[in-house]
Every structure is written in structure tokens, then in C-alpha cells.
Amino acid sequence: MIRHIAFSEIAAIAIALAGPVRADPDGQMIYNDLCASCHAESRLGGTGPALIPESLRRLRGDQLEAVIANGRVATQMPAFSATLSETEIAAVAAYVSQPLDVTPDWRKAEIDATRDLRDDYVAAAAPVFTGDPMNVTLVVETGDHHISVLDGDTFEVLDRFATPYAVHGGPKFSPDGRFVFVMSRDGWVQKYDIWSLQEVGRVRAGLNSRNIAISHDGKWLAVANYLPHTFTILSTADLSVVQARTVTAVDGNESRVSAVYQAPQRESFILALKDAPEIWEIATTEDAGPFYDGFVHSYEKGMEESLAAEEGLFARRRIKVTEPLDDFFFTPDYRNLIGTNRGGDKGVVVNLIVGREIAELPLPGMPHLGSGISWESKGRKVMATPHLREGRLSVIDTKDWSLVKTIETMGPGFFLRSHENTRFVWADVFFGPHRDKMHIIDKDSLDIVRTLDPAPDKTVAHIEFTRDGSHALVSIWEDDGAVIVYDAKTLEEVTRLPMRKPSGKYNVWNKITFSDGTSH
Ligand code: DHE
């Protein structure tokens, strides 16, 4: 007699023939066992950085797996290749790449709870070093998350202090040049006293942040956040939270903030909204009236009510644009900004006084307007921007917005710098086979007059000048890197200071005076 075999029996036989079943490794379980003690079970970071897609996006291809397998030099991150199999590493990588189920609240209470003011901080009555405090230059060393404080005359390292993990963007100085504020991609803001050479404290103002800006009077610090969709305003005095404001566009949807800038003459902050065709201006003065006159006309009919101007300190003004704009360059008078669209193929000029777009420029190849600088060239004010996807610099007349010249370079660059006391503009070649080159451009002829080759096969990038413009400091952007000091006139090397993957460098005087030739 033939017996009918049930499907479950067939499945059982098939499994038995195939041998023992291997369950897929559980990434979350491994994470909780091995990673959570440093990165927190919430994945929002602890002694280690946050492990969420917003902060991991910069690791491309299999870089995330490679970090888990091999660890990170000069950090507490160990190598797990001996403990975990390749599939287990892949499972952990997949787990931390998933968005959080719920974005935690990160408002005043949560932020204030992270505020950590140093007990051992003593405010010095005068600088504790003999050099010129206005000629101090900070070097961000991303190799081991430190900042070196350099005397700009002797190039002596006055102090080297630990920063939060992954500092990004320019540190911001108080208007008197005494304090500096530094921000990390995980949203930590650190306050450091240059006179005392001591950290004052830190606070976590966002979960994933972009940059910071200080108000014209030095009282407030704005933090642009991707996560949550807020900008945070801190008191610079004690890092307490004044506001953590959700960024809600006219259509009711929330937006990330891709950057915040100080507009000193306007006594305001300008916010670039990543996901909405709006720019926000936030007053940093009680007397916010004049900024808000006459802007409602630039909005579509029927929206006036939701756009009604706010008044007083931190009043918001919305400026409507055709599409979301990122990465701003400001003219030195802060009347106009140039932003780029998502496609990265054009620049849009927005006049901040009338609150609308006034011109469009063809800028294909992803202009990096945030690195744009301006200078006087043959009697006219020009600005130049590198392009992240093309080996060229676009030079634009800031009066009529015409393209003055396209300077062909040896590859796409990231940063530009000049100074009022030099004839030259320095431009790096950040990407591609010529990343070890540095172009020197004549401010008037707009020709490349020299190409430096200071460290063959190494990335050479980002430039800063001393206060008087006599020397230019350039990073060899490598783990065993250096800052090279050049005589800005002869273009000869003066000295080389060993540093751990130095990135940006920031001179106190050039920054607080908005020196011509620095990006803001
Ligand atoms: Fe930056 C400044 C945005 C990737 C190093 N970067 C800025 C600013 C913005 C910005 C909006 C101006 C803020 C300020 O200084 O207040 N950066 C972006 C991006 O959107 C981009 C392309 C992608 C991202 O992941 O955020 C990006 N930036 C990088 C890097 O990969 C760099 C080279 C290495 C790093 O540290 O992450 C880098 N960005 C810098 C530096 C500055 C900066 C050093 C300050 C330059 C200055 O001279 O002021």
C-alpha cells in the first residue's frame, strides 16, 4: 500500500539530507554583546561614535566591514577579525546601517543632560603664553581627533587637545578671539579657551550635525542638524540650550538643515534647508524689524498667513527659492549668497535684502561654494569656487554674476585660500592622481603661475595664512602627515610640522576679521 507523505515530512527529509542548518548570524545580538558598551545599545554613541546610517554614509563600499574587521588606528576601536567571521561582521554592518526605529527626542532636556563643564577649568586673566593670541592658528588633526594650537609667529605647538570624534567644518571663534567652538559630526560642541589653553566644556547639541555658526555679538551658537530635523541655539557663555527648533517647511514637512552661517552685517544666521525650497534667516538681535520688511511679496499667494514675519531675538524669516539650495557662498557685504541645486549644475544667486533669487549661473560639475573665496582682481571683486567633480575653478564677477574665467586644474579641488597681503590664490587638487599638487594662481591674471609638489603621492590640501599673510600653511592630509609652512612670497618651504592627518587650519585673526580670501 502506498502511503501519502505529508509536505512537512518531505521538508524534514530534505533538511536532514542537506546537513545541519546554519542560522544567519544575528547582527543585533552581536552588536549588543560586543559593540554596545562603547557605542550604546541605542547606537547613538557613548565613548565611541554613533553608529547610525546618517553618520555611516561616508563609509563607502566595504569600508564599514573593514573598520569592524581591522579596527581604527589611534582610537579605541579594536579589530574583530579574529573574533567574528566574515558573515558575522557583515551582519553587524547590516544592523548598524539600518535606520533607527524611532528618532529619539533630542530637545532641551536631552541636550542639557549631556552638558559637561570642566571642573578643572580656570579662566586665565591674560594669555598663558607669550605669543600674539590673535595670530594663533588651530590645526584640526582628524587622524587621532585632536587640535594643535600653533603660535603663528614661531610655529611652536602651544597645546594639543582632544576633540570629540570626527570634527567637521570650521571651528568658530568668539569675536574677541579668546574662545573657540568646535563641532563633531555626532553633534558634540566643544568650547576651548585659547588664553588659558584649556577646554571649558562640551554638550551634544544634535545627533548628527553639519556645522556651527556664532552670532555677530558672540552670544549665541547655532548648530545645524540632520538628525533630528532641528537647529539648536546654545548660549556661548555656558553651552546651555536656548532653543532646539524643529525645521518645518511651508508645506508642513520637516527638513534637515545642511548648514548654518553667520551674516554679521545682517545680525542674523542663515540656514540652508536640505529638503525644502526655502532658506531661513534667524535674527540674532532683539531689533529684528528691518530684516523682515517687504519679503512676503516673494511668496505664492495665499501663503502669507503661514509666512507672517516673526519679531525679536531668533525671529525667523523664510526666503522661498525654486528648489532646495545647499552649500552657500556669501559676498563680503552679505547682501547676496550663491547656493547650488541638488543636481550640482548651477549656482543660484539669492539677494538677502529683497529675499528672492536674482540670477542663475551655469556651474556644472558640483561647485563647492562653501569653499568659495573672493578677492580684488584688477579693480573688480571676483569670487572663485572649486568643483568637486571637475578639474576646474570658476571665477565669477560678484557685480554682474558673469563668468570671468574658468581655470583648468589638474583635478577636482576641495579648498581655496588667499589673503589681502598676498598676490596669490592657493588651490588644492583634492581628488585623483594629482592630489599631491597645489596650484598657485595670480590674483590679477587668473593664471596658474606655479604648481607645488610638496609630498609626492600624498594628499595635499587646505591652506591657511598667518595673520599678516606672510606664510601659508598647507596640510599633508595623511595619518603620518604634516603641516608645511611656506613663505607666501617666495613659495619656499620654511618648516614642516608632523601632524596626524591634519585637515583644516584656522587663524584667529583671519577668521574674526573675515579676511579677504578666507571661506566663511
Ligand atoms: Fe566639509 C566645511 C559640507 C565633506 C572637510 N563642509 C564645510 C562646510 C560645509 C561642508 C557646509 C562649511 C561649514 C563651516 O565651516 O562652518 N563637507 C560638506 C559636505 O556636504 C560634504 C561634501 C559631504 C559630507 O559628508 O558632509 C563634506 N568636508 C567633507 C570631507 O570629506 C572633508 C574633506 C573631510 C572631513 O573632515 O569630513 C571635509 N569641510 C571640511 C573642512 C571644512 C569644511 C576642513 C572647513 C573649511 C574651512 O576652511 O573653513
Coordinates of all heavy atoms in Angstrom, one line a residue, residues 191-268:
K191 N 33.8 73.7 23.8 CA 34.3 75.1 23.9 C 35.7 75.1 24.5 O 36.0 74.3 25.5 CB 33.4 75.9 24.9 CG 33.8 77.3 25.2 CD 32.8 78.0 26.1 CE 33.2 79.4 26.4 NZ 32.3 80.1 27.3
Y192 N 36.6 75.9 23.9 CA 38.0 75.8 24.3 C 38.5 77.3 24.6 O 38.1 78.2 23.8 CB 38.8 75.2 23.3 CG 40.3 75.1 23.6 CD1 40.9 74.1 24.3 CD2 41.2 76.1 23.0 CE1 42.3 74.0 24.6 CE2 42.6 76.0 23.3 CZ 43.1 75.0 24.0 OH 44.4 74.9 24.3
D193 N 39.2 77.5 25.6 CA 39.7 78.9 25.9 C 41.2 79.0 25.4 O 42.1 78.3 26.0 CB 39.6 79.0 27.5 CG 40.1 80.4 27.9 OD1 40.7 81.1 27.1 OD2 39.9 80.8 29.1
I194 N 41.4 79.8 24.4 CA 42.7 79.9 23.8 C 43.7 80.6 24.8 O 44.9 80.3 24.9 CB 42.6 80.7 22.5 CG1 41.9 79.8 21.5 CG2 44.0 81.0 21.9 CD1 41.5 80.5 20.2
W195 N 43.2 81.6 25.6 CA 44.1 82.3 26.5 C 44.6 81.3 27.6 O 45.7 81.3 28.0 CB 43.4 83.4 27.3 CG 43.2 84.6 26.5 CD1 43.3 84.8 25.1 CD2 42.9 85.9 27.0 NE1 43.1 86.0 24.7 CE2 42.8 86.8 25.9 CE3 42.6 86.4 28.2 CZ2 42.5 88.1 26.0 CZ3 42.3 87.8 28.4 CH2 42.3 88.6 27.3
S196 N 43.7 80.4 28.1 CA 44.0 79.5 29.2 C 44.6 78.2 28.7 O 45.1 77.4 29.4 CB 42.8 79.2 30.0 OG 42.1 80.3 30.4
L197 N 44.5 78.0 27.3 CA 44.8 76.7 26.7 C 44.2 75.5 27.4 O 44.8 74.6 27.8 CB 46.4 76.5 26.7 CG 47.2 77.5 25.9 CD1 48.7 77.3 26.0 CD2 46.8 77.6 24.4
Q198 N 42.8 75.7 27.6 CA 42.1 74.7 28.4 C 40.7 74.5 27.8 O 40.1 75.5 27.3 CB 41.9 75.1 29.8 CG 42.8 74.5 30.8 CD 42.3 74.8 32.2 OE1 42.1 75.9 32.5 NE2 42.2 73.8 33.0
E199 N 40.2 73.2 27.8 CA 38.8 73.0 27.4 C 37.9 73.6 28.5 O 38.2 73.4 29.7 CB 38.6 71.5 27.2 CG 37.1 71.2 27.0 CD 36.8 69.8 26.6 OE1 37.7 69.0 26.3 OE2 35.6 69.4 26.6
V200 N 36.8 74.2 28.1 CA 35.9 74.7 29.1 C 34.7 73.7 29.3 O 34.3 73.5 30.4 CB 35.2 76.1 28.5 CG1 34.3 76.6 29.6 CG2 36.3 77.1 28.2
G201 N 34.3 73.0 28.2 CA 33.3 72.0 28.4 C 32.7 71.6 27.0 O 33.2 72.1 26.0
R202 N 31.7 70.7 27.1 CA 31.1 70.3 25.8 C 29.7 69.9 26.0 O 29.2 69.7 27.2 CB 31.9 69.2 25.2 CG 32.2 68.0 26.1 CD 33.0 66.9 25.4 NE 34.4 67.1 25.3 CZ 35.3 66.4 24.7 NH1 34.9 65.3 24.0 NH2 36.6 66.6 24.7
V203 N 28.9 69.8 25.0 CA 27.5 69.5 25.0 C 27.1 68.8 23.7 O 27.7 69.2 22.7 CB 26.7 70.7 25.3 CG1 26.7 71.7 24.2 CG2 25.2 70.4 25.6
R204 N 26.2 67.9 23.7 CA 25.8 67.3 22.5 C 24.5 67.9 21.9 O 23.4 67.7 22.4 CB 25.5 65.8 22.6 CG 25.4 65.1 21.3 CD 25.4 63.6 21.4 NE 25.4 62.9 20.1 CZ 25.3 61.6 19.9 NH1 25.2 60.8 21.0 NH2 25.3 61.1 18.7
A205 N 24.6 68.8 21.0 CA 23.5 69.7 20.5 C 22.7 69.0 19.4 O 21.6 69.5 19.1 CB 24.1 71.0 20.0
G206 N 23.2 67.9 18.9 CA 22.4 67.2 17.8 C 22.9 65.8 17.8 O 23.9 65.4 18.5
L207 N 22.2 64.9 17.1 CA 22.6 63.5 17.0 C 23.5 63.3 15.7 O 24.4 62.5 15.7 CB 21.4 62.6 16.9 CG 20.5 62.6 18.2 CD1 19.3 61.8 18.0 CD2 21.3 62.1 19.3
N208 N 23.2 64.1 14.7 CA 24.0 64.1 13.5 C 24.0 65.5 13.0 O 23.0 66.0 12.6 CB 23.5 63.1 12.5 CG 24.4 63.0 11.3 OD1 24.0 63.5 10.2 ND2 25.5 62.4 11.4
S209 N 25.1 66.2 13.0 CA 25.1 67.6 12.8 C 26.1 68.0 11.7 O 26.9 67.2 11.3 CB 25.6 68.3 14.1 OG 24.7 67.9 15.1
R210 N 25.9 69.2 11.1 CA 26.7 69.6 9.9 C 27.7 70.6 10.2 O 28.8 70.5 9.8 CB 25.6 70.2 9.0 CG 24.5 69.2 8.6 CD 25.1 68.2 7.6 NE 25.6 68.8 6.4 CZ 26.5 68.2 5.6 NH1 26.9 67.0 5.9 NH2 26.9 68.8 4.5
N211 N 27.3 71.7 10.9 CA 28.3 72.7 11.2 C 27.7 73.7 12.3 O 26.6 73.5 12.7 CB 28.7 73.5 10.0 CG 27.7 74.5 9.5 OD1 26.5 74.3 9.6 ND2 28.2 75.6 9.0
I212 N 28.5 74.7 12.6 CA 28.0 75.7 13.6 C 28.3 77.1 13.1 O 29.1 77.3 12.2 CB 28.7 75.5 15.0 CG1 30.3 75.4 14.8 CG2 28.2 74.3 15.7 CD1 31.0 75.3 16.1
A213 N 27.6 78.0 13.7 CA 27.9 79.4 13.4 C 27.7 80.2 14.7 O 26.9 79.9 15.5 CB 26.9 80.0 12.3
I214 N 28.5 81.3 14.8 CA 28.4 82.1 16.0 C 27.8 83.4 15.7 O 28.0 83.9 14.5 CB 29.8 82.3 16.7 CG1 29.7 82.9 18.1 CG2 30.7 83.2 15.8 CD1 31.0 82.7 18.9
S215 N 27.0 84.0 16.6 CA 26.3 85.3 16.2 C 27.3 86.4 16.2 O 28.4 86.3 16.8 CB 25.2 85.5 17.2 OG 25.7 85.6 18.5
H216 N 26.9 87.5 15.6 CA 27.8 88.7 15.4 C 28.3 89.2 16.8 O 29.4 89.7 16.8 CB 27.0 89.8 14.7 CG 25.9 90.3 15.5 ND1 24.7 89.6 15.7 CD2 25.8 91.5 16.2 CE1 23.9 90.3 16.5 NE2 24.5 91.4 16.8
D217 N 27.5 89.1 17.8 CA 27.9 89.6 19.1 C 28.6 88.5 20.0 O 28.9 88.8 21.2 CB 26.7 90.2 19.8 CG 25.6 89.2 20.0 OD1 25.8 88.0 19.6 OD2 24.5 89.6 20.4
G218 N 28.7 87.3 19.4 CA 29.4 86.2 20.2 C 28.5 85.6 21.3 O 29.0 84.8 22.0
K219 N 27.3 85.9 21.3 CA 26.5 85.4 22.5 C 25.9 84.0 22.2 O 25.6 83.3 23.1 CB 25.3 86.4 22.8 CG 25.7 87.6 23.4 CD 24.5 88.4 23.8 CE 24.8 89.7 24.5 NZ 23.6 90.6 24.5
W220 N 25.6 83.8 20.9 CA 24.8 82.6 20.6 C 25.6 81.7 19.5 O 26.3 82.2 18.6 CB 23.5 82.9 20.0 CG 22.8 84.0 20.7 CD1 22.6 85.3 20.3 CD2 22.3 84.0 22.0 NE1 22.0 86.0 21.2 CE2 21.8 85.3 22.3 CE3 22.2 83.0 23.0 CZ2 21.2 85.6 23.6 CZ3 21.6 83.3 24.2 CH2 21.1 84.6 24.5
L221 N 25.4 80.4 19.7 CA 26.0 79.5 18.7 C 24.8 78.7 18.1 O 24.0 78.1 18.8 CB 26.9 78.6 19.5 CG 28.0 77.9 18.6 CD1 29.1 78.9 18.2 CD2 28.6 76.7 19.4
A222 N 24.8 78.6 16.8 CA 23.7 77.8 16.1 C 24.3 76.6 15.6 O 25.4 76.6 15.1 CB 23.1 78.6 15.0
V223 N 23.6 75.5 15.8 CA 24.1 74.2 15.3 C 23.1 73.6 14.3 O 21.9 73.5 14.6 CB 24.2 73.2 16.5 CG1 24.8 71.9 16.0 CG2 24.9 73.8 17.7
A224 N 23.6 73.3 13.1 CA 22.7 72.8 12.0 C 22.7 71.3 12.1 O 23.8 70.6 12.1 CB 23.3 73.2 10.6
N225 N 21.5 70.7 12.2 CA 21.4 69.2 12.4 C 20.7 68.5 11.2 O 19.8 69.1 10.7 CB 20.6 69.0 13.7 CG 21.2 69.5 14.9 OD1 22.4 69.5 15.1 ND2 20.4 70.1 15.8
Y226 N 21.2 67.3 10.9 CA 20.4 66.4 10.1 C 19.5 65.6 10.9 O 18.4 65.2 10.5 CB 21.4 65.5 9.4 CG 21.9 65.9 8.0 CD1 21.6 67.1 7.4 CD2 22.7 65.0 7.2 CE1 22.0 67.5 6.2 CE2 23.1 65.4 6.0 CZ 22.8 66.6 5.4 OH 23.2 66.9 4.2
L227 N 19.9 65.2 12.1 CA 19.1 64.4 13.0 C 19.2 64.9 14.4 O 20.3 65.0 14.9 CB 19.7 62.9 13.0 CG 18.9 61.8 13.5 CD1 17.7 61.6 12.6 CD2 19.7 60.6 13.7
P228 N 18.1 65.3 15.0 CA 16.8 65.4 14.4 C 16.7 66.6 13.5 O 17.7 67.2 13.3 CB 15.9 65.6 15.6 CG 16.7 66.2 16.7 CD 18.1 65.7 16.4
H229 N 15.5 66.8 12.9 CA 15.4 67.9 11.9 C 15.2 69.2 12.7 O 14.2 69.8 12.7 CB 14.2 67.6 11.1 CG 14.3 66.4 10.3 ND1 13.2 65.7 9.8 CD2 15.4 65.6 9.9 CE1 13.6 64.6 9.2 NE2 14.9 64.5 9.3
T230 N 16.3 69.6 13.3 CA 16.3 70.9 14.1 C 17.5 71.7 13.9 O 18.5 71.2 13.3 CB 16.3 70.5 15.6 OG1 17.4 69.7 15.8 CG2 15.1 69.8 16.1
F231 N 17.4 72.9 14.4 CA 18.7 73.6 14.6 C 18.6 74.0 16.1 O 17.6 74.3 16.7 CB 18.9 74.8 13.7 CG 18.0 76.0 13.9 CD1 18.3 77.0 14.8 CD2 16.8 76.0 13.3 CE1 17.5 78.1 15.0 CE2 15.9 77.1 13.5 CZ 16.2 78.1 14.3
T232 N 19.8 74.0 16.7 CA 19.9 74.2 18.1 C 20.6 75.5 18.3 O 21.6 75.8 17.7 CB 20.8 73.1 18.8 OG1 20.2 71.8 18.4 CG2 20.7 73.2 20.3
I233 N 20.1 76.3 19.3 CA 20.8 77.5 19.6 C 21.3 77.4 21.1 O 20.5 77.1 22.0 CB 20.0 78.8 19.5 CG1 19.6 79.0 18.0 CG2 20.7 80.0 20.0 CD1 18.8 80.2 17.6
L234 N 22.6 77.6 21.2 CA 23.3 77.4 22.6 C 23.7 78.8 23.0 O 24.1 79.7 22.2 CB 24.5 76.5 22.5 CG 24.4 75.1 21.9 CD1 25.7 74.5 21.8 CD2 23.5 74.3 22.9
S235 N 23.8 79.0 24.3 CA 24.4 80.2 24.9 C 25.9 79.9 24.9 O 26.4 78.9 25.4 CB 23.9 80.4 26.3 OG 24.9 81.1 27.0
T236 N 26.7 80.8 24.3 CA 28.1 80.6 24.2 C 28.8 80.7 25.6 O 29.8 80.1 25.9 CB 28.9 81.6 23.3 OG1 28.5 82.9 23.8 CG2 28.5 81.4 21.9
A237 N 28.1 81.3 26.6 CA 28.6 81.5 27.9 C 28.8 80.2 28.6 O 29.8 79.9 29.1 CB 27.8 82.5 28.7
D238 N 27.7 79.4 28.6 CA 27.8 78.2 29.4 C 27.3 76.9 28.7 O 27.0 75.9 29.2 CB 26.9 78.4 30.7 CG 25.5 78.6 30.4 OD1 25.1 78.7 29.2 OD2 24.7 78.8 31.3
L239 N 27.1 77.1 27.3 CA 26.7 76.0 26.5 C 25.3 75.4 26.8 O 24.9 74.3 26.5 CB 27.7 74.8 26.5 CG 29.1 75.1 26.0 CD1 30.0 73.9 26.1 CD2 29.1 75.6 24.6
S240 N 24.5 76.2 27.5 CA 23.1 75.8 27.8 C 22.2 76.0 26.6 O 22.6 76.8 25.7 CB 22.5 76.6 29.0 OG 22.5 78.0 28.7
V241 N 21.2 75.3 26.5 CA 20.3 75.3 25.3 C 19.3 76.4 25.4 O 18.6 76.5 26.4 CB 19.5 74.0 25.1 CG1 18.7 74.0 23.9 CG2 20.5 72.8 25.2
V242 N 19.2 77.2 24.4 CA 18.2 78.3 24.4 C 17.0 77.8 23.6 O 15.9 78.1 23.9 CB 18.8 79.6 23.8 CG1 17.8 80.7 23.8 CG2 20.1 79.9 24.4
Q243 N 17.3 77.1 22.5 CA 16.3 76.7 21.6 C 16.7 75.4 20.9 O 17.9 75.3 20.5 CB 16.0 77.7 20.5 CG 14.9 78.5 20.7 CD 14.5 79.4 19.4 OE1 14.9 79.0 18.3 NE2 13.9 80.5 19.6
A244 N 15.8 74.5 20.7 CA 16.0 73.4 19.7 C 14.8 73.4 18.9 O 13.8 72.8 19.2 CB 16.2 72.1 20.4
R245 N 14.9 74.0 17.7 CA 13.7 74.3 16.9 C 13.5 73.4 15.8 O 14.4 73.2 14.9 CB 13.8 75.7 16.4 CG 12.6 76.2 15.6 CD 12.6 77.7 15.4 NE 11.4 78.1 14.7 CZ 11.0 79.4 14.5 NH1 11.8 80.3 15.1 NH2 10.0 79.7 13.9
T246 N 12.4 72.7 15.7 CA 12.1 71.8 14.5 C 12.0 72.7 13.3 O 11.4 73.7 13.3 CB 10.8 71.0 14.7 OG1 11.0 70.3 15.9 CG2 10.5 70.1 13.6
V247 N 12.6 72.2 12.2 CA 12.6 72.9 10.9 C 11.4 72.4 10.1 O 11.5 71.3 9.5 CB 13.9 72.8 10.2 CG1 13.9 73.5 8.9 CG2 15.0 73.4 11.1
T248 N 10.3 73.1 10.1 CA 9.1 72.7 9.3 C 8.9 73.6 8.2 O 8.8 74.8 8.4 CB 7.9 72.6 10.2 OG1 8.2 71.9 11.4 CG2 6.7 72.0 9.5
A249 N 8.9 73.1 7.0 CA 8.7 73.9 5.8 C 7.3 74.4 5.6 O 6.4 73.9 6.3 CB 9.2 73.2 4.6
V250 N 7.1 75.3 4.7 CA 5.7 75.8 4.4 C 4.7 74.7 4.2 O 3.6 74.8 4.6 CB 5.8 76.8 3.2 CG1 4.4 77.1 2.7 CG2 6.5 78.1 3.6
D251 N 5.2 73.7 3.5 CA 4.2 72.6 3.1 C 4.0 71.6 4.3 O 3.3 70.6 4.2 CB 4.8 71.8 1.9 CG 6.1 71.1 2.2 OD1 6.5 71.1 3.4 OD2 6.7 70.5 1.3
G252 N 4.5 71.9 5.5 CA 4.3 71.1 6.7 C 5.3 70.0 6.9 O 5.3 69.4 7.9
N253 N 6.1 69.8 5.9 CA 7.1 68.7 6.0 C 8.4 69.2 6.7 O 8.7 70.4 6.6 CB 7.5 68.1 4.7 CG 6.4 67.4 4.1 OD1 5.6 66.6 4.8 ND2 6.1 67.5 2.8
E254 N 9.0 68.3 7.4 CA 10.2 68.7 8.1 C 11.4 68.6 7.2 O 11.4 67.9 6.2 CB 10.5 67.7 9.3 CG 9.5 67.9 10.4 CD 9.9 67.0 11.6 OE1 10.9 66.4 11.6 OE2 9.0 67.0 12.6
S255 N 12.4 69.4 7.5 CA 13.6 69.4 6.6 C 14.9 69.3 7.5 O 14.9 69.7 8.6 CB 13.7 70.7 5.8 OG 15.0 70.8 5.2
R256 N 15.9 68.6 6.9 CA 17.2 68.7 7.5 C 17.8 70.0 7.3 O 17.5 70.7 6.3 CB 18.1 67.6 6.9 CG 17.6 66.2 7.2 CD 18.4 65.1 6.4 NE 17.9 65.2 5.0 CZ 18.5 64.5 4.0 NH1 19.5 63.7 4.2 NH2 18.1 64.7 2.7
V257 N 18.8 70.4 8.1 CA 19.5 71.7 7.9 C 20.9 71.3 7.4 O 21.6 70.6 8.1 CB 19.6 72.5 9.2 CG1 20.3 73.8 8.9 CG2 18.2 72.7 9.8
S258 N 21.2 71.7 6.2 CA 22.5 71.3 5.7 C 23.7 72.2 6.2 O 24.8 71.8 6.2 CB 22.6 71.1 4.2 OG 22.1 72.2 3.5
A259 N 23.4 73.4 6.5 CA 24.4 74.3 7.1 C 23.8 75.5 7.7 O 22.7 76.0 7.3 CB 25.5 74.6 6.0
V260 N 24.6 76.2 8.6 CA 24.2 77.4 9.1 C 25.4 78.4 9.1 O 26.5 77.9 9.2 CB 23.6 77.3 10.6 CG1 24.7 76.7 11.5 CG2 23.2 78.6 11.2
Y261 N 25.1 79.7 8.7 CA 26.2 80.6 8.6 C 25.8 81.9 9.4 O 24.7 82.2 9.5 CB 26.3 81.0 7.1 CG 26.4 79.8 6.2 CD1 25.3 79.2 5.6 CD2 27.7 79.4 5.8 CE1 25.4 78.1 4.8 CE2 27.8 78.3 4.9 CZ 26.7 77.7 4.4 OH 26.8 76.6 3.6
Q262 N 26.9 82.6 9.7 CA 26.7 83.9 10.4 C 26.6 85.0 9.3 O 27.5 85.0 8.4 CB 27.8 84.2 11.3 CG 27.6 85.6 12.0 CD 28.9 86.2 12.5 OE1 29.0 87.4 12.6 NE2 29.9 85.4 12.9
A263 N 25.6 85.9 9.3 CA 25.7 87.0 8.4 C 25.9 88.3 9.3 O 24.9 88.8 9.8 CB 24.3 87.1 7.6
P264 N 27.2 88.7 9.4 CA 27.5 89.6 10.5 C 26.8 91.0 10.3 O 26.2 91.5 11.3 CB 29.0 89.8 10.4 CG 29.4 89.1 9.2 CD 28.4 88.2 8.7
Q265 N 26.8 91.5 9.1 CA 26.2 92.8 8.9 C 24.7 92.8 9.1 O 24.0 93.8 9.4 CB 26.5 93.4 7.4 CG 27.9 93.7 7.2 CD 28.7 92.5 6.6 OE1 28.3 91.4 6.9 NE2 29.7 92.8 5.8
R266 N 24.1 91.6 8.8 CA 22.6 91.5 9.0 C 22.2 91.1 10.4 O 21.0 91.0 10.7 CB 22.1 90.4 8.0 CG 22.4 90.8 6.5 CD 21.9 89.7 5.6 NE 20.4 89.6 5.7 CZ 19.6 90.5 5.2 NH1 20.0 91.6 4.6 NH2 18.3 90.3 5.4
E267 N 23.2 90.8 11.2 CA 23.0 90.4 12.6 C 22.0 89.2 12.6 O 20.9 89.2 13.2 CB 22.5 91.5 13.4 CG 23.5 92.7 13.4 CD 23.2 93.8 14.4 OE1 22.1 93.9 14.8 OE2 24.1 94.6 14.7
S268 N 22.3 88.2 11.8 CA 21.5 87.0 11.7 C 22.2 85.8 11.4 O 23.4 85.8 11.0 CB 20.4 87.3 10.6 OG 21.1 87.4 9.3

